[in-house]
Amino acid sequence: QFTAPAVDAGPSVDRAVPLADLPPDEWPAAARTAANLAAIRLVASGVPIGPDERTTLLRYSGWGGLSLDAVASQLPAGWLPEIRGLIHEYYTPTAVAREIARVLRPLLGGLPQHEGAVRALEPSAGIGRLVHALSGPGFETLAFTAVEYSQVSARLLAAVRPDVPVFEGPFERWLAQNETAVRGTLGLVVSNPPYGVR
């Protein structure tokens, strides 16, 4: 079980609510950094992923607004996130992902199916907040494919959701490799991609 470090949460966080009970997108920078390090170390260790480990991995929130320089020496070899992530790794807030799921759920019955399932694509998946929100009761017909540019986020998502094919790399590359196979088969595309130069 992850224990958030003692930090000054600042005025935006209700101090009566333990950090561990809040989604990581609402944590202050020090707690996000500690959770990110814990998630990377865990998946890099190669231990089997059970419910407790899955919780630790889901607390990863990306490096948007955080300092990689301060923690680079604490990361396992080969797990240094890409510097470009500092600009756009602000993953969809959990509350927003759940609201998108709430709105989409009653519409799923009208979506086209392919081979008995609604093939769903998340082309900028991050740690998979939208994939997770659109899973479970009421979403059984969805069969997700996730694409994620960040190698760290893609590896974490694959560890958390072994049931979801995860493509690590830019969406443009995934599309070039899979366009023929997916043409006319997707029933849902749901995403909140970064809105930068790319």
Side-chain angles (χ1 to χ4, degrees), residues 100-112 118 138-139 141 187-188:
I100 290 170
R102 184 193 68 75
V103 170
L104 286 176
R105 185 174 174 185
L107 304 174
L108 295 181
L111 296 179
V118 175
F139 298 98
T141 61
L188 176 67

Side-chain angles (χ1 to χ4, degrees), residues 5 16 18 29 33 41 51 72 92-93 100 105 110 112 119 126-127 130 143 152 162 166 173 197:
T33 298
R41 288 176 184 146
T92 304
I100 290 170
R105 185 174 174 185
R119 293 188 63 187
I127 191 63
L130 286 166
V152 172
V166 178
R173 185 183 313 146
V197 174

Side-chain angles (χ1 to χ4, degrees), residues 77-168:
W79 283 90
L80 181 66
E82 300 91 341
I83 297 301
R84 60 181 153 72
L86 297 176
I87 298 170
H88 59 75
E89 276 190 7
Y90 294 94
Y91 296 143
T92 304
T94 303
V96 173
R98 289 177 179 158
E99 183 63 12
I100 290 170
R102 184 193 68 75
V103 170
L104 286 176
R105 185 174 174 185
L107 304 174
L108 295 181
L111 296 179
Q113 294 193 8
H114 181 77
E115 297 178 355
V118 175
R119 293 188 63 187
L121 173 67
E122 216 299 24
S124 182
I127 191 63
R129 289 192 181 154
L130 286 166
V131 173
H132 305 313
L134 278 84
S135 297
F139 298 98
E140 295 87 353
T141 61
L142 294 182
F144 264 102
T145 295
V147 178
E148 174 49 36
Y149 200 12
S150 162
Q151 66 171 337
V152 172
S153 297
R155 291 179 190 178
L156 289 165
L157 176 54
V160 170
R161 292 297 299 268
D163 60 311
V164 173
V166 178
F167 178 86
E168 177 188 321

Side-chain angles (χ1 to χ4, degrees), residues 2-5 23-45 53 55-68 71-72 74-76 79-82 85-86 89-91 126-127 129 150 152-153 156:
F2 172 80
T3 302
D25 39 287
E26 295 182 18
W27 291 357
R32 284 184 55 216
T33 298
N36 286 353
L37 288 171
I40 290 173
R41 288 176 184 146
L42 176 64
V43 78
S45 74
E53 291 80 13
T55 297
T56 298
L57 297 182
L58 286 171
R59 288 182 171 141
Y60 183 82
S61 63
W63 292 93
L66 302 178
S67 173
L68 279 176
V71 298
Q74 301 175 50
L75 292 164
W79 283 90
L80 181 66
E82 300 91 341
L86 297 176
E89 276 190 7
Y90 294 94
Y91 296 143
I127 191 63
R129 289 192 181 154
S150 162
V152 172
S153 297
L156 289 165

Side-chain angles (χ1 to χ4, degrees), residues 8-34:
D8 179 6
S12 65
V13 176
D14 181 354
R15 293 173 193 268
V17 179
L19 287 180
D21 294 339
L22 293 171
D25 39 287
E26 295 182 18
W27 291 357
R32 284 184 55 216
T33 298

